[in-house]
Amino acid sequence: MQLRPVVRSSAPPFSVAEALKKEGLSPADYEEIVRRLGREPNRAELGMFGVMWSEHCCYRNSRPLLRGFPTSGPRILVGPGENAGVVDLGEGQRLAFKIESHNHPSAVEPFQGAATGVGGILRDIFTMGARPIGLLNALRFGPLEDARNVGLIEGVVSGIAHYGNCVGVPTVGGEVAFDPSYSGNPLVNAMALGLMETEEIVCSGAAGVGNPVVYVGSTTGRDGMGGASFASAELSAASLDDRPAVQVGDPFLEKGLIEACLEAFKSGDVVAAQDMGAAGLTCSCSEMAAKGGLGIELDLDQVPARETGMTAYEFLLSESQERMLFVVKAGRAEPLMARFRRWGLQAAVVGRVLEENVVRVLQQGQVAAEVPASALADDTPINHHPLLSEPPVEIQAHWRWSEAQLPAATLAGITPEGRSPMGWGEVLEALLDDPTIASKRWVYRQYDQQVQANTVLLPGGADAAVLRLRPQEGAAALTACHRGVAATVDCPNRWVALDPERGAIAAVAEAARNLSCVGAEPLAVTDNLNFASPETPTGYWQLAMACRGLAEACRALDTPVTGGNVSLYNETRRPDGSLQPIHPTPVVGMVGLVHDLARVTGLAWKQSGDTIWLLGVPLEMAAVADQSADTGVEDRLGLGGSSYLARIHGLATGRPPRTDLALERQVQSLLREAIGRGLVASAHDLSDGGLAVAAAECCMAAGLGAQLVLPASTSRLDRLLFAEGGARILVSVPVTQLSAWQELMASFPALVPAKRLGTVEDDGQLRISLAEDPVLNADVAAFASVYEQAIPRRLVASA
Amino acid sequence: MTIGVAVFPGSNCDRDVKWAAEGCLGIPTRFLWHEERDLAGVDAVVLPGGFSYGDYLRCGALARFSPLLEEVVAFAARGGPVLGICNGFQVLTELGLLPGALTRNRHLHFLCEPAELTVQPGTCRWLGGYGAGETISLPIAHGEGRYQVDDVTLHRLEQEGLVALRYRRNPNGSVGDVAGLSNPTGNVLGLMPHPERACDPLTGGLDGRRLLASLLG
């Protein structure tokens, strides 16, 4: 390799050991860097390697596991590797979508951390040429009894609201769950959807030697220095000192950036585009160069700066927000930059495309850094970890728990160990008071859910968000459109903690089920893997098994993975020095197509007299032979890992059941067919809290009651009421549609278990009986008030 | 009949107004860039929701210096119908076309939810389609919608019948439950709720239609 003179830009000479520590690189990495460069790197170059070789940018721990995901299919236009995935919706419409985490920044600065998480995921979408049309988020916090967690949820929710509301993209869905493992390390995953507005999907590979490289958006400052490396280390009390590593967002600038970028892409002048997210200029230059097989020369003196005296290192690693890098057709830079200035944005030619595959950084007439692009972006190091051959002992202990260890469940109720006797109505109320199950109105009322005038189903009213596919620009913007896109995010983290493979399967199955419940056909997945350190045997086992589960379920349900994000080292160092890992949390974001918006279905009962049906795994679950199970025979539903077990008995234990993916597919397909024919008045999936909680939610959303009769059974009563497991949906069918409904089930190619359990009532009571014996009789308005107040009252109490 | 819809860099409900007026009600619209001055052919002006110039100083505070709004003030003075929705209402108070100010909501949170309102049309030309005392439901979506004005002015507004819309359950702490105000000549209406979000049966109620349709006479 030919050596060029490279200025030691960050002189004085630095200590390699300290610099490696700061960049999160190992001595072996350093050797590899020297080998690739054919010389020692200077400080700026070492910083470039530090961010590019972090887990956040190159998946150095998870890459071998991600290879198992299905990533292609007839509707997949862009899979993993670009800024976002793109699926074909037919009729000329294409949807870009992606999820990304901002966990570590949100832990130390919740408002800006969450706000910039939203800004970053939006840029991933419009960089592709798509206009953002919807946002979702998946959030995790520690218990609200701790004032620290209250501060975090307040800050995170208002940060998301601030950015999304201001930029004019509706936040239409999400999920929020609570567990002590997230205390001090909240999870903030933001997902965005966008409708393509350009003819061609804008990609990031540089092309055209000599083409100008144009910088647009906001100025570059020292904010967010080293954020990507910061995101790849555990949190401790000292992390609060890392607040400079958290960026500050400006949604007003981003609003202009969206409009100006889409205008620019439509002009045909942009050859390639890359947003500056993690690792800022370093990442955008090296990705564009590496993907295009060319080089980029970057002159830092031309970069619009908001501070003076910034070193090359600081320019290269700044994570200032709302910035993008373009390769532009020769001679077209000026008119392009004028568009950006009209929106009050910065625009400057900062470099050019080189034939030689190198990222060359100039500052004050000298070469401040020069690295082969492939050395940074290709064949990045992989940390290999041994995979446990059998589950960790603590997991095996959980799996030995059985329902027989619970106190007797009688018609009158149950007496959990160490508690007073509880009637089943009280148990239901306690579950509805669980913040993970309870109403999230306090959260979503802070989000503008309706801007852009396409939100068909609002949060709280259905299992998934539904947006009409009416574009915002062009003639089609003024035409009514009958098609929509549905989206959801899901992860049953307690299940994943107890069995990462089954939990991950359940996450995919539930996401697809939620889409099917509104009548949408599931299309594709974006995943956000939030895990603790992969460097412990248990940590890596969790990651590996969860990936295996995701891959299996995505394959079985025909929902390929189009990309996503990996966030590791989600753990907090306790004052005593030990580490508290989070529940492994592989969040599944899934999108689906609604063929006819007129048929979209919510979860609320519609009318008294409608019949209520349980679709899928029957209540009286006989053990099913399961070839893939360790024991050979197992249940499809149970109390292991359930909300009931955790909330009522204080036991987060047991083994969650394995979802029957073949049945899951059939149940969902039957339901979609029924919705398409207009036979179903409401549909709601059975999730946390099982049948009783699902029925209560349908009642509350409607302000109606219900009468359910469970068939006489030898099963435990609490199992009938509260067991959890996949492939179960509660639907209501108007009496006038009963014969068509039964006809559909009879003619459906697969045998899908369905049981009529009762009727919708207008007396405002939820009544459940076991054959003739009353089990539960609860006033809907009374438990609705518990459900609505569960989160607000805790926030007030801890404030 | 053409509605001009103002577009500031931070407007984000401009296209929604266009959809409601043109897509749902068939009233043609034209976007008016904030640096423009040309209102020729425009029969009414809507200042839509959003964050005009970022609103870091104070909602609507900078918008009033824009060339477009100088023309809008003159247009209103000539009796031209002007509707300010949400951020547009904030701008109208900054322009002095309506009295008072809109501040951070009580409890400080942004709120997006349906709001029940009582309409007092009085002489407001935007509200001719509603009955006196009629209850309607329109969505609100704002963080700074708490109407503030001194007691004397509030009393005068009430006496003159200019409190055109009131919250039935006050969500944000506005004095006098004020959700919307008319000017004495009835051509200017400012309101925090979003009538443009209630014109399309697929996405919301229809209680906003009569407001925009009032322009059709």
Side-chain angles (χ1 to χ4, degrees):
Chain A
M1 161 186 266
Q2 184 194 353
L3 293 186
R4 286 171 178 276
V6 173
V7 171
R8 294 247 167 215
S9 61
S10 299
F14 60 97
S15 146
V16 171
E18 274 174 32
L20 287 176
K21 191 157 173 264
K22 178 153 187 244
E23 303 301 340
L25 292 168
S26 68
D29 289 336
Y30 191 76
E31 274 177 41
E32 178 63 18
I33 291 166
V34 172
R35 193 188 67 76
R36 292 187 182 197
L37 292 180
R39 60 174 167 79
E40 300 215 38
N42 68 21
R43 187 67 189 84
E45 290 165 339
L46 193 63
M48 293 167 77
F49 280 101
V51 288
M52 290 302 290
W53 287 8
S54 68
E55 176 65 30
H56 191 85
C57 290
C58 84
Y59 307 109
R60 62 185 297 164
N61 293 286
S62 56
R63 201 156 8 120
L65 302 172
L66 305 180
R67 288 190 189 125
F69 292 164
T71 57
S72 59
R75 286 191 184 270
I76 309 301
L77 299 176
V78 176
E82 283 291 342
N83 285 297
V86 181
V87 289
D88 187 352
L89 299 176
E91 301 190 12
Q93 291 186 309
R94 294 154 298 162
L95 184 82
F97 69 107
K98 178 144 184 235
I99 194 165
E100 194 159 82
S101 66
H102 237 209
N103 302 334
H104 284 69
S106 303
V108 298
E109 218 296 53
F111 182 92
Q112 287 297 345
T116 53
V118 173
I121 195 64
L122 290 173
R123 280 193 297 285
D124 281 336
I125 298 302
F126 67 80
T127 306
M128 307 285 293
R131 178 180 297 277
I133 59 167
L135 285 162
L136 295 92
N137 53 71
L139 309 178
R140 295 292 184 280
F141 300 98
L144 295 176
E145 282 68 22
D146 180 340
R148 268 186 325 157
N149 296 323
V150 169
L152 288 170
I153 191 174
E154 290 262 8
V156 164
V157 171
S158 54
I160 292 172
H162 167 67
Y163 209 103
N165 297 351
C166 187
V167 81
V169 179
T171 300
V172 292
E175 52 145 25
V176 189
F178 301 86
D179 184 86
S181 70
Y182 302 107
S183 272
N185 193 139
L187 300 186
V188 177
N189 293 179
M191 173 172 165
L193 315 177
L195 197 54
M196 290 295 303
E197 277 192 6
T198 55
E199 289 286 314
E200 301 291 323
I201 294 165
V202 182
C203 287
S204 54
V209 173
N211 276 343
V213 173
V214 174
Y215 169 114
V216 297
S218 185
T219 49
T220 296
R222 290 187 174 95
D223 49 327
M225 293 292 309
S229 314
F230 165 59
S232 304
E234 91 259 359
L235 289 163
S236 65
S239 300
L240 288 174
D241 299 334
D242 281 335
R243 263 175 285 199
V246 181
Q247 316 84 337
V248 178
D250 183 347
F252 171 67
L253 270 178
E254 180 118 325
K255 169 82 172 65
L257 195 56
I258 294 175
E259 303 293 348
C261 282
L262 292 174
E263 283 175 16
F265 296 151
K266 284 179 216 168
S267 74
D269 292 341
V270 179
V271 175
Q274 173 77 42
D275 86 293
M276 284 186 243
L281 278 166
T282 298
C283 187
S284 50
C285 287
S286 43
E287 295 267 339
M288 291 180 92
K291 280 188 187 146
L294 294 167
I296 284 185
E297 183 177 81
L298 176 69
D299 183 355
L300 296 178
D301 299 338
Q302 307 306 317
V303 172
R306 74 178 64 146
E307 297 176 71
T308 53
M310 286 175 63
T311 63
Y313 178 90
E314 288 167 334
F315 269 110
L316 288 168
L317 299 196
S318 162
E319 292 191 9
S320 291
Q321 297 288 291
E322 292 92 24
R323 302 178 302 158
M324 316 266 281
L325 208 59
F326 294 161
V327 173
V328 176
K329 282 185 184 159
R332 299 301 299 162
E334 269 313 317
L336 179 122
M337 292 193 294
R339 290 176 194 281
F340 286 85
R341 294 187 184 121
R342 178 171 181 263
W343 286 96
L345 299 166
Q346 300 285 337
V349 176
V350 295
R352 61 193 173 102
V353 177
L354 304 175
E355 188 166 7
E356 190 187 351
N357 178 229
V358 71
V359 175
R360 182 183 304 143
V361 181
L362 307 177
Q363 192 178 31
Q364 287 156 13
Q366 292 183 304
V367 177
E370 180 169 310
V371 183
S374 56
L376 281 168
D378 292 349
D379 295 324
T380 51
I382 293 178
N383 294 0
H384 292 281
H385 304 281
L387 178 58
L388 293 174
S389 56
E390 55 179 36
V393 284
E394 65 275 16
I395 294 292
Q396 295 187 34
H398 283 304
W399 291 0
R400 284 192 291 274
W401 178 87
S402 85
E403 288 166 14
Q405 290 167 245
L406 286 174
T410 67
L411 284 171
I414 194 163
T415 308
E417 214 175 295
R419 288 181 84 151
S420 331
M422 299 176 86
W424 297 117
E426 271 175 88
V427 170
L428 174 64
E429 203 168 292
L431 285 170
L432 295 175
D433 183 50
D434 179 344
T436 297
I437 293 176
S439 167
K440 305 303 183 301
R441 189 184 307 274
W442 181 88
V443 174
Y444 62 71
R445 76 197 292 238
Q446 297 188 50
Y447 304 145
D448 189 336
Q449 307 141 33
Q450 296 172 303
V451 64
Q452 296 195 10
N454 282 325
T455 310
V456 176
L457 290 175
L458 297 172
D463 283 2
V466 175
L467 293 164
R468 171 172 54 194
L469 284 166
R470 181 181 61 87
Q472 295 288 296
E473 282 284 294
L478 289 177
T479 318
C481 159
H482 62 280
R483 302 190 326 139
V485 61
T488 182
V489 282
D490 290 287
C491 180
N493 50 272
R494 187 172 49 240
W495 277 36
V496 187
L498 291 166
D499 188 328
E501 185 179 7
R502 291 184 176 187
I505 290 172
V508 178
E510 181 171 351
R513 203 181 313 127
N514 284 336
L515 297 182
S516 294
C517 280
V518 299
E521 174 196 350
L523 296 183
V525 162
T526 177
D527 67 296
N528 207 137
L529 304 177
N530 307 274
F531 284 76
S533 166
E535 292 166 28
T536 67
T538 297
Y540 191 72
W541 176 81
Q542 289 174 331
L543 185 60
M545 299 310 282
C547 286
R548 185 181 293 182
L550 289 176
E552 181 189 339
C554 287
R555 204 164 271 126
L557 298 177
D558 272 341
T559 50
V561 178
T562 61
N565 174 243
V566 180
S567 168
L568 303 179
Y569 305 96
N570 286 289
E571 45 201 22
T572 39
R573 197 167 286 282
R574 302 188 187 95
D576 70 2
S578 63
L579 282 173
Q580 163 72 55
I582 61 158
H583 275 182
T585 314
V587 172
V588 173
M590 195 182 286
V591 295
L593 180 61
V594 178
H595 295 276
D596 182 3
L597 288 171
R599 297 291 194 207
V600 156
T601 302
L603 67 85
W605 311 131
K606 278 285 154 53
Q607 204 179 321
S608 79
D610 286 357
T611 59
I612 299 171
W613 294 73
L614 177 64
L615 212 53
V617 176
L619 280 176
E620 189 66 54
M621 180 65 216
V624 174
D626 179 352
Q627 284 87 9
S628 60
D630 314 317
T631 53
V633 175
E634 70 180 327
D635 282 357
R636 291 305 189 182
L637 55 98
L639 293 174
S642 67
S643 301
Y644 166 77
L645 195 59
R647 183 82 183 155
I648 306 301
H649 298 276
L651 297 171
T653 189
R655 186 170 193 193
R658 174 180 281 274
T659 304
D660 180 341
L661 288 168
L663 179 62
E664 184 77 63
R665 235 185 120 104
Q666 289 156 0
V667 169
Q668 293 183 26
S669 155
L670 172 66
L671 175 65
R672 290 197 304 273
E673 183 62 31
I675 289 174
R677 295 187 189 185
L679 308 181
V680 170
S682 72
H684 186 29
D685 105 289
L686 270 64
S687 171
D688 289 356
L691 174 66
V693 165
E697 287 170 340
C698 298
C699 289
M700 291 185 287
L704 289 167
Q707 168 94 46
L708 302 182
V709 181
L710 312 181
S713 168
T714 53
S715 289
R716 292 178 59 95
L717 189 48
D718 45 6
R719 185 182 154 93
L720 296 176
L721 294 170
F722 305 113
E724 295 171 16
R728 296 204 301 165
I729 296 168
L730 202 56
V731 302
S732 65
V733 178
V735 176
T736 51
Q737 302 293 354
L738 267 184
S739 57
W741 164 250
Q742 279 158 328
E743 224 167 87
L744 169 63
M745 284 192 290
S747 64
F748 199 69
L751 179 67
V752 175
K755 174 80 187 165
R756 184 168 164 175
L757 288 185
T759 44
V760 177
E761 304 284 345
D762 58 7
D763 60 356
Q765 302 289 310
L766 171 61
R767 291 197 189 81
I768 302 180
S769 59
L770 181 63
E772 275 92 63
D773 299 318
V775 169
L776 183 157
N777 184 359
D779 182 59
V780 174
F783 65 70
S785 139
V786 171
Y787 179 77
E788 286 297 336
Q789 285 306 311
I791 290 178
R793 79 174 172 82
R794 285 177 172 83
L795 294 175
V796 170
S798 302
Chain B
M1 163 58 61
T2 297
I3 299 181
V5 182
V7 182
F8 301 98
S11 297
N12 61 28
C13 298
D14 43 344
R15 294 185 177 93
D16 298 3
V17 172
K18 183 182 171 79
W19 165 246
E22 202 162 336
C24 299
L25 293 163
I27 309 171
T29 58
R30 194 178 103 200
F31 285 136
L32 306 170
W33 184 244
H34 64 113
E35 290 167 334
E36 257 178 68
R37 289 185 180 274
D38 180 14
L39 293 188
V42 166
D43 302 290
V45 173
V46 176
L47 308 178
F51 294 77
S52 47
Y53 289 96
D55 290 342
Y56 292 112
L57 173 60
R58 194 172 66 237
C59 291
L62 287 175
R64 72 189 175 99
F65 297 109
S66 82
L68 175 68
L69 287 186
E70 278 180 34
E71 300 303 320
V72 171
V73 169
F75 177 79
R78 295 195 298 272
V82 175
L83 175 68
I85 303 168
C86 197
N87 185 232
F89 185 15
Q90 294 161 349
V91 171
L92 289 175
T93 61
E94 290 287 338
L95 286 172
L97 289 179
L98 294 171
L102 293 138
T103 60
R104 287 287 293 277
N105 293 346
R106 175 180 60 197
H107 307 314
L108 308 179
H109 290 145
F110 189 98
L111 294 176
C112 178
E113 59 195 12
E116 290 218 328
L117 306 163
T118 306
V119 191
Q120 287 299 343
T123 58
C124 181
R125 63 163 296 173
W126 291 93
L127 297 173
Y130 300 89
E134 187 179 343
T135 299
I136 61 171
S137 176
L138 297 179
I140 56 167
H142 59 247
E144 307 193 21
R146 182 181 194 173
Y147 185 69
Q148 305 272 23
V149 78
D150 64 88
D151 291 347
V152 175
T153 310
L154 180 64
H155 185 70
R156 178 178 62 75
L157 291 170
E158 283 173 343
Q159 290 298 307
E160 294 177 8
L162 300 178
V163 181
L165 296 155
R166 277 181 209 275
Y167 298 110
R168 289 172 61 87
R169 278 178 301 275
N170 193 330
N172 54 22
S174 291
V175 297
D177 303 325
V178 170
L181 280 183
S182 172
N183 70 344
T185 46
N187 60 317
V188 176
L189 174 67
L191 76 169
M192 288 313 297
H194 287 268
E196 83 281 12
R197 295 186 183 188
C199 293
D200 178 347
L202 191 66
T203 56
L206 294 174
D207 283 351
R209 286 178 85 104
R210 281 174 283 165
L211 201 152
L212 291 173
S214 69
L215 294 171
L216 295 172

